[in-house]
Amino acid sequence: MEVKDAPRIEINDGDRVASAFETLQQRPYCDLRLECVATGERFDIEEFRVEAGGQRIRLLIDVLGLPRDRFATGVRLHASLGVEALLFTGIEVENFSIEADPPQLVIAKPERVYVSNKRESTRIRLVRGMRALVQLQVYEDRNPLDARLMDLSLGGCGIEIDLRAGMLLECGQQVAALFIEFPNGTRSALSAAVRHVQMAERNAHAYVGFSFVQRDRNRLTEVPVWLREMEREIAFRAGQGRNHMIQPSRLFIGGAESPVAIRLDQQEKTPYASTTSMVGPLRDIAHTLGVTAIALRHGRELPVDDLYRCADTLCALLAEDRPTFLYALCCLNEQPALLHHCIVVAGRLADLVQNDETLVRNLRDIVVAALVHDLGNIRQAGPQTASADSLITDPSAPTNSHRELIEALGSAGSWAASGARRAVIECLNSTDADVAQLPVALASLARAARIVDLIEVKSRGGIGAHEAGTPLQVFRTLYHNCDEAEREWLQRYMKRQGIYPIGSLVHCSSGFLAWVLQLGEDGQPSRIRVVRSLNNARKLNQILGRADFSQIGKIDQPALPQRFGLSPF
């Protein structure tokens, strides 16, 4: 069966183009979207205003984390009016105000609009309460990953997936299989290729657009039925069933007990509640790192200005309340381990060099470098990257990914800033780096960064065959395996953090487990959060000061959170 695309009609008459936009203003559900010509990314338009007698259009858009010149090469506008698809082109960008809330893009009136009845261009979004499961099998020898279907058309679909998986996908990459399953058990496999990747609104997730690459039987027979059923369900929900002629779709019958609902509930875990106000800003930093990782993967320009703002935020949080900040660093376990690792290293390195007058002068560049120091792994990740490898290292990849990362960051503000970037990024990614040949200050910084990185990696565990160790075990191992210069930084770290660092789990003599929230002047815990009684497996959430420690006995040894399934929230 041959399917021919419907013809597209070009309209370049100024009055008719303006009339098309007036029609959009009268239709609140026109599904207007902005496309970046340079990258193919599409962005939701929250609101638009026609100004200057129809000669200028102001778009309010959701483009968090984009560089200022993202739209310099031009934009296109897509809209849907029923089964009609509109494409506005010949658009001159007049101004992009990233500082506005929300960001605003001012464009001139489009020169032309293309109109078609091509159903493939009509994208239907799932509204609240409509749920469908996507199982994405990227490689044939890997298990499929669960994701949520966000929208569907004859030409493709959009999904929301865990950020770690999403940021490893590449534009144009054909996946082994994409399965769509509805609550009533309807399920089919489709051939698909990645069209674009961007950060999703939901914390720690990516939105991935796919195009269907074959006109196979499933696409030609089943997808049109799904689209009609989705329209039926949306109409039913909009009318709340008052019109007896509109019945709900059978696709979405199944309720909370259906296998699809159960799988989605597992994939859509509610983000952990913040136990401190500092967790929110740190999640924003993680979001920017996610944008950076995706940009690296796709060869886009990095959001360097946003990274420096993240460094300023991190340093401000540290200066505001050190104990709360160090504890909040541990409260990002919902983030991809790679991003969490970078944030922890940046935060603890900033804390470690506070008293070094030479290094603290370039603290912003040190923190920016630490925030991105392992993101070069994203550039080289491929089929050989183990799915269980939390830091995304590929044994078959070239070792120059850190140099590509430094180049992608662009020029630094000064020689010292450039040196600080190299000292952190290169020396954390080159096992054979000759630190001794660096200038004294940079060599010292490289050693400090390496100590912080090694402590975090060995404490985290789960990388290759490496098992997590308690802080004391990690300190002892490193002390006997590092040289004298690095040992000096290790001793400084131990002096600042203590043998029971903030954010570590401790075991008390009466059988309680607690998280360390604060240290006293003697380096011992002075404030803790008691979370578990081992005597009866009872969960607790009680904060105690040192004066009340007698209630739970003496802190006698560190404990591994992994053994008890605990996280410091």
Side-chain angles (χ1 to χ4, degrees), residues 455-480:
I455 290 174
E456 210 286 319
V457 168
K458 292 182 179 297
S459 300
R460 176 179 295 274
I463 302 167
H466 175 69
E467 293 185 1
T470 65
L472 190 55
Q473 290 172 334
V474 172
F475 293 158
R476 285 174 175 168
T477 300
L478 290 178
Y479 189 85
H480 293 293

Side-chain angles (χ1 to χ4, degrees), residues 148-403:
R148 179 172 64 168
L149 182 67
M150 303 299 291
D151 52 68
L152 180 70
S153 73
L154 274 181
C157 66
I159 71 170
E160 194 174 81
I161 194 169
D162 179 79
L163 178 56
R164 184 193 184 277
M167 65 189 185
L168 292 179
L169 296 171
E170 297 182 275
C171 290
Q173 177 182 0
Q174 185 166 349
V175 297
L178 186 149
F179 302 89
I180 298 179
E181 184 174 354
F182 293 91
N184 73 336
T186 299
R187 173 184 168 93
S188 280
L190 295 156
S191 300
V194 178
R195 189 173 184 276
H196 59 84
V197 183
Q198 54 192 293
M199 291 293 291
E201 293 182 6
R202 193 153 58 101
N203 181 44
H205 286 78
Y207 174 84
V208 185
F210 285 91
S211 59
F212 299 141
V213 297
Q214 294 180 11
R215 294 183 179 275
D216 53 21
R217 180 179 179 278
N218 290 347
R219 178 181 173 186
L220 295 176
T221 61
E222 297 187 8
V223 175
V225 173
W226 294 348
L227 291 171
R228 288 195 295 271
E229 291 296 309
M230 290 168 66
E231 288 179 327
R232 177 196 297 272
E233 184 72 13
I234 291 172
F236 174 76
R237 290 173 180 269
Q240 299 179 351
R242 288 192 293 267
N243 185 344
H244 69 277
M245 297 297 292
I246 301 177
Q247 299 297 316
S249 167
R250 288 175 293 181
L251 285 179
F252 299 94
I253 295 175
E257 302 302 320
S258 70
V260 166
I262 293 172
R263 295 287 290 272
L264 285 174
D265 286 340
Q266 294 172 348
Q267 192 258 347
E268 297 174 4
K269 290 180 181 177
T270 303
Y272 294 100
S274 300
T275 56
T276 163
S277 60
M278 291 192 179
V279 173
L282 290 179
R283 284 185 178 141
D284 291 340
I285 291 175
H287 186 279
T288 299
L289 290 188
V291 172
T292 305
I294 293 172
L296 275 168
R297 185 66 166 166
H298 297 274
R300 303 172 193 158
E301 185 175 350
L302 302 192
V304 177
D305 291 342
D306 292 330
L307 288 171
Y308 274 97
R309 280 191 285 271
C310 288
D312 293 337
T313 298
L314 188 145
C315 293
L317 295 175
L318 173 60
E320 177 185 339
D321 188 337
R322 178 178 180 266
T324 301
F325 169 73
L326 292 177
Y327 185 75
L329 285 177
C330 305
C331 298
L332 299 173
N333 282 12
E334 82 279 3
Q335 299 294 332
L338 175 65
L339 305 189
H340 190 191
H341 166 75
C342 288
I343 294 172
V344 171
V345 170
R348 291 182 181 167
L349 181 59
D351 177 62
L352 181 60
V353 303
Q354 286 294 305
N355 296 327
D356 190 304
E357 294 182 2
T358 302
L359 298 182
V360 82
R361 292 194 200 104
N362 291 291
L363 187 59
R364 291 184 83 220
D365 290 279
I366 291 172
V367 172
V368 165
L371 282 172
V372 302
H373 77 271
D374 263 347
L375 295 191
N377 296 350
I378 297 290
R379 293 288 289 259
Q380 305 295 345
Q384 295 80 15
T385 303
S387 57
D389 185 348
S390 57
L391 296 190
I392 311 178
T393 53
D394 189 339
S396 69
T399 59
N400 63 348
S401 59
H402 58 284
R403 297 190 185 94

Side-chain angles (χ1 to χ4, degrees), residues 411-483:
S411 59
S414 66
W415 179 90
S418 176
R421 286 183 183 180
R422 293 199 322 274
V424 174
I425 295 174
E426 286 191 4
C427 293
L428 287 185
N429 287 278
S430 299
T431 57
D432 58 347
D434 190 1
V435 177
Q437 293 184 2
L438 293 173
V440 175
L442 295 183
S444 180
L445 171 60
R447 294 186 180 102
R450 182 172 294 178
I451 286 296
V452 174
D453 185 72
L454 286 173
I455 290 174
E456 210 286 319
V457 168
K458 292 182 179 297
S459 300
R460 176 179 295 274
I463 302 167
H466 175 69
E467 293 185 1
T470 65
L472 190 55
Q473 290 172 334
V474 172
F475 293 158
R476 285 174 175 168
T477 300
L478 290 178
Y479 189 85
H480 293 293
N481 289 280
C482 62
D483 60 32

